[in-house]
Amino acid sequence: MRGEIAAGEKVNEVAIARALGVSRTPLREAVKLLASEGLLELLPGRGARVRRFSDIEILDHFEVIGALERHAAERAAERITPHTAADVRALQETMKASFREGRQQAYFQANQKMHALIVRLAESPVLEALHRELSNKARHNRSSTLTSTARWADSMREHEGWIEALLRGDGAQAGALILAHARRTGEAVLAQAAAADPAP
């Protein structure tokens, strides 16, 4: 998910088992689990490799994530309380500070927490489970899009827009803005992937 093993690259089970201090048996179980979640591809007799998602799959992932988050924002706007609004504001301030200080990883982590928080505020376990599953698949190399200063600034502005709409209880606008944000993020991930790895 952090991009340390690139899309299409084989998983070196021996090296990973050594680095984690575990035997290969639990590692193989983890590989099977990640394959069942669509994050790895099993190669008969040759181990596994990180799955390379097609352009259509990448855009579709973010489209569906955006649709789920739009629904979550609409529900969350109806359910937000002064206490949960304070949680949103606190995370928003963390994102702003990380952006101002150029701390990309801290921003990305706060960003992920913000999206998860909005979904949690919708108070729908089914929605939360679906969002978590799709977000995990879409997370690979996602933080690399922030290496573009322009995209990072745009992302920050987009967050400001939908967060403010949410906090004033305008679920329709918050939902529309968060869907647009997800689409732009998908396009940025696709552009970054193409620039970093032009292989088909």
Side-chain angles (χ1 to χ4, degrees):
M1 289 178 187
R2 291 195 300 266
E4 293 174 13
I5 306 175
E9 186 177 336
K10 286 190 67 176
V11 174
N12 186 329
E13 291 185 11
V14 174
I16 294 174
R18 188 180 299 120
L20 296 176
V22 298
S23 71
R24 291 182 69 184
T25 299
L27 188 63
R28 284 175 177 154
E29 290 302 313
V31 165
K32 288 178 185 176
L33 179 59
L34 290 171
S36 74
E37 293 176 355
L39 295 171
L40 295 180
E41 281 183 291
L42 297 179
L43 307 170
R46 293 181 293 129
R49 68 181 169 205
V50 177
R51 183 163 171 224
R52 187 190 302 277
F53 291 96
S54 70
D55 292 359
I56 292 173
E57 285 177 309
I58 290 171
L59 292 176
D60 197 34
H61 264 102
F62 282 96
E63 181 74 20
V64 176
I65 287 170
L68 292 175
E69 290 181 347
R70 177 181 60 187
H71 181 58
E74 291 169 350
R75 285 175 60 102
E78 298 171 352
R79 293 163 170 77
I80 201 157
T81 67
H83 178 73
T84 54
D87 291 340
V88 172
R89 285 286 189 204
L91 260 181
Q92 185 183 29
E93 289 305 314
T94 299
M95 289 176 68
K96 286 181 181 178
S98 300
F99 176 72
R100 284 194 306 267
E101 297 161 12
R103 293 184 295 119
Q104 181 184 359
Q105 195 57 39
Y107 176 89
F108 183 67
Q109 289 172 354
N111 179 345
Q112 295 299 295
K113 289 178 181 178
M114 178 67 80
H115 284 266
L117 174 59
I118 299 310
V119 172
R120 191 164 67 251
L121 293 180
E123 299 177 3
S124 169
V126 173
L127 176 61
E128 195 170 351
L130 284 171
H131 183 265
R132 186 184 308 111
E133 179 183 347
L134 285 176
S135 293
N136 283 343
K137 289 182 181 179
R139 194 174 297 166
H140 182 58
N141 285 340
R142 187 170 174 177
S143 63
S144 65
T145 62
L146 300 178
T147 56
S148 162
T149 303
R151 177 55 200 154
W152 193 358
D154 286 345
S155 176
M156 188 70 239
R157 281 193 295 271
E158 290 162 17
H159 277 87
E160 294 276 298
W162 62 259
I163 290 169
E164 291 305 318
L166 177 81
L167 291 175
R168 66 172 179 268
D170 189 342
Q173 186 179 19
L177 290 173
I178 204 169
L179 175 59
H181 168 67
R183 287 170 171 162
R184 290 190 192 103
T185 301
E187 290 164 1
V189 168
L190 189 60
Q192 181 69 22
D197 182 11

